[in-house]
């Protein structure tokens, strides 16, 4: 009898965890790539806020922290999203109550950005992408 009760509780816990992950839109299969984006200010951007690529949800904010005078935002992005050196990444409002999101605009042209290189902020780029290795180069 105790074995049946224990098994039922274990199965219920597994179903609960799987349901919560599914409802949150978590990708359990590991199809996400993490990038770090630097902004001068993020307003009320929070963990879990969406990352929209040309208006389509393709990721979420996974971490926010200060990085010298900038704010570093770790975003988990679908690995099939082709970021280029001409991509524009901004923090945007999405609602009347102050909700925020990270918006990515993909251009038709540009050189693809790999996770192993960093892009400095320029006139056409509103972000700097850092990887764990390149964070050491930017440390103050």
């Amino acid at each position: 009898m105790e074995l049946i009760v224990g098994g039922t509780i274990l199965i219920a816990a597994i179903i609960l965890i799987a349901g919560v992950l599914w409802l949150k839109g978590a990708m359990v299969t590991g199809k996400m790539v993490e990038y770090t984006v630097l902004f001068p200010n993020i307003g009320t951007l929070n963990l879990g806020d969406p990352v929209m690529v040309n208006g389509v949800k393709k990721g979420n904010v996974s971490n926010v922290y200060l990085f010298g005078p900038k704010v570093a935002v770790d975003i988990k992005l679908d690995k099939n999203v082709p970021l280029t050196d001409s991509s524009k990444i901004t923090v945007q409002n999405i609602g009347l109550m102050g909700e925020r999101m990270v918006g990515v605009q993909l251009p038709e042209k540009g050189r693809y950005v790999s996770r192993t290189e960093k892009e400095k902020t320029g006139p056409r780029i509103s972000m700097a992408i850092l990887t764990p290795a390149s964070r050491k180069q930017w440390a103050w």
Side-chain angles (χ1 to χ4, degrees), residues 54 82-88 104-110 124:
N54 290 354
L83 287 181
T84 68
D85 59 355
S86 298
S87 297
K88 187 174 182 180
V104 179
Q105 293 295 320
L106 297 178
E108 293 183 15
K109 297 181 181 179
R124 297 179 63 203

Side-chain angles (χ1 to χ4, degrees), residues 9 18 23 25-26 33 53 62 65 84 90 92 110 119 126-127 129:
I9 291 173
L23 288 173
V33 177
V53 178
S62 62
Y65 54 94
T84 68
T90 57
Q92 303 171 353
E119 295 294 328
S126 65
M127 50 70 178
I129 298 174

